[in-house]
Amino acid sequence: MTRFSDIKGFAFDLDGVITDTAKFHTQAWHALADQVNVTWTPELQESLKGIDRMGSLEMILKAGNKQDDYTHDEKVALASWKNNHYVELISGLTPDDILPGMADFIKELNDKGYKASVASASKNAPFILDRLQLTDSFVGIVDPSTLTANKPDPEIYVRAAELLNLPSEQVIGLEDAASGIQAINGAGEVSLGIGNAEILHDADIRFDATADVTLANIAAKLD
Ligand code: B16
Ligand code: MG
């Protein structure tokens, strides 16, 4: 088992870890589901966390057994309708929208010489980090459009460790979604889950909320 002294870098999921854009994704996908007459349920909502844009659309259509009702071009148009709505909703983000404790935690990492990168499935991640004034806190952001597979595939977390220039055993990945925890575990990093224990049962260590994530608390759980 990895010890805290082995850790040199952190790979961050964005949505649900650094800021709560999930509520805006939910609002925009719910509107899309209404438009295509698919019933919105809490289970469908939870299952979309961490899933890329086209993958999310497919899951919504599938939930209503409508996956074969649209051509590829029509699906691209639906996804882009959702994204336009979503971008409108997130354009008002400010540093006040950073989740509790996360600005302090990221500053603590920067001050103590730990490296940090971003492993978000969101193509809007650079825009969001810019709005939150956090771009300079990270050595890099994985570009999800260059991936061959999305979460729960480990590729995005493998790439996040490459950006840190660290072997996976020296990296902690932070996630709020089960698909992301699976991706971190598959990449051979230490998985840190934030949220519900039932959903994040595969996480190596877990905190109830972002406010609990500090280096001291991580060290206490790892060692
Ligand atoms: P976009 P994360 C993910 O972000 C969201 O959890 C997921 O709901 C969303 O569909 C995905 O990004 C793609 O986002 O449409 O902005 O490219 O949790 O991986 O930071
Ligand atoms: Mg997330």
Side-chain angles (χ1 to χ4, degrees):
M1 177 76 180
T2 308
R3 294 189 62 78
F4 181 68
S5 56
D6 299 329
I7 298 300
K8 303 278 183 284
F10 291 79
F12 283 76
D13 174 44
L14 176 59
D15 174 22
V17 170
I18 297 176
T19 190
D20 182 18
T21 43
K23 61 182 180 228
F24 301 124
H25 279 297
T26 294
Q27 212 177 314
W29 280 130
H30 193 157
L32 187 281
D34 287 349
Q35 203 180 298
V36 296
N37 284 316
V38 170
T39 309
W40 190 256
T41 63
E43 293 74 28
L44 178 58
Q45 181 173 322
E46 181 64 33
S47 70
L48 301 180
K49 274 194 189 171
I51 305 296
D52 69 289
R53 200 178 305 163
M54 289 307 284
S56 299
L57 175 66
E58 286 295 344
M59 285 166 75
I60 292 169
L61 293 176
K62 202 152 185 248
N65 205 18
K66 292 181 188 293
Q67 67 273 28
D68 299 326
D69 292 7
Y70 297 90
T71 64
H72 175 72
D73 287 355
E74 286 168 342
K75 286 180 182 178
V76 170
L78 286 173
S80 123
W81 182 87
K82 179 268 176 180
N83 191 55
N84 290 340
H85 184 181
Y86 173 70
V87 169
E88 248 172 60
L89 296 171
I90 60 173
S91 57
L93 287 173
T94 73
D96 288 343
D97 295 299
I98 299 170
L99 280 166
M102 272 295 138
D104 287 343
F105 178 60
I106 292 165
K107 186 170 184 312
E108 188 184 16
L109 297 182
N110 290 164
D111 289 349
K112 293 188 172 159
Y114 290 91
K115 291 193 280 186
S117 62
V118 174
S120 168
S122 176
K123 295 187 170 115
N124 295 299
F127 174 67
I128 295 168
L129 289 174
D130 189 53
R131 300 289 322 163
L132 301 176
Q133 295 174 22
L134 285 177
T135 307
D136 295 344
S137 302
F138 296 94
V139 297
I141 305 169
V142 177
D143 176 358
S145 67
T146 63
L147 299 173
T148 59
N150 293 297
K151 299 174 189 177
D153 188 281
E155 186 179 8
I156 191 166
Y157 277 96
V158 171
R159 294 275 300 281
E162 283 169 10
L163 287 176
L164 298 171
N165 207 10
L166 292 172
S168 58
E169 321 81 71
Q170 296 182 2
V171 176
I172 291 181
L174 296 90
E175 269 286 349
D176 67 317
S179 60
I181 294 293
Q182 257 180 278
I184 296 169
N185 291 344
E189 296 158 13
V190 175
S191 54
L192 185 160
I194 303 169
N196 186 307
E198 277 172 40
I199 294 169
L200 304 173
H201 49 81
D202 286 334
D204 294 319
I205 54 176
R206 191 192 61 80
F207 294 96
D208 287 330
T210 52
D212 304 328
V213 182
T214 62
L215 284 173
N217 288 347
I218 293 171
K221 286 207 190 247
L222 262 186
D223 293 341

